[in-house]
Amino acid sequence: MFLSKKSLPATKADLQVCRDLIDTLKAHENECVGMAANMIGVSKRIIIVHTPLAPIVMLNPVITAHSKESYEAREGCLSLLGQRPAKRWESVTVEYEDMSFNKRSGTYSGFTAQIIQHEMDHLNGKII
């Protein structure tokens, strides 16, 4: 029930949630590639995404553009057993704030884009 609620905007008072997400992702690195704050019981618009270089924490992320190409993925989730189908765009452009509340923007493709879309679904109360 909690995961089906839309998350509220993150503020500077939520920086500890960012650190908790970093620690939780690290603790589950063998079975998890991203997390949303509501997965640790905090209904705030914060996600963490494992990328090839390093994890990225995104506060108040918004997808501002996406590719025309999409595909059917099969995704698992720490919150659910098994895998389920999900339609994903091949690439997304995301505007977000970093942990210093600086505005950032990035374009991501492939598996990283898929992770971002999955975690943002959580923020919007959508569970695969």
Side-chain angles (χ1 to χ4, degrees), residues 26-127:
K26 185 178 255 187
H28 292 277
E29 65 187 350
N30 291 329
E31 68 253 359
C32 185
V33 292
M35 298 189 85
N38 57 4
M39 294 176 68
I40 60 169
V42 181
S43 187
K44 292 294 187 146
R45 295 190 66 78
I46 307 169
I47 65 173
I48 184 168
V49 178
H50 182 73
T51 71
L53 297 177
I56 298 174
V57 176
M58 298 180 176
L59 293 93
N60 303 311
V62 176
I63 294 175
T64 58
H66 59 79
S67 62
K68 291 181 182 178
E69 302 83 26
S70 64
Y71 61 96
E72 288 290 329
R74 294 213 38 90
E75 297 179 352
C77 183
L78 284 178
S79 303
L80 303 167
L81 294 175
Q83 293 188 342
R84 290 167 178 74
K87 190 167 188 169
R88 299 297 183 206
W89 294 303
E90 179 58 38
S91 67
V92 293
T93 299
V94 183
E95 289 183 359
Y96 63 95
E97 294 164 318
D98 63 19
M99 289 178 59
S100 297
F101 282 84
N102 295 313
K103 292 202 180 278
R104 303 280 183 206
S105 181
T107 299
Y108 305 90
S109 61
F111 191 52
T112 302
Q114 182 179 340
I115 299 166
I116 291 169
Q117 292 169 80
H118 178 101
E119 301 312 332
M120 289 188 64
D121 279 351
H122 277 296
L123 299 182
N124 294 320
K126 181 179 177 186
I127 304 170

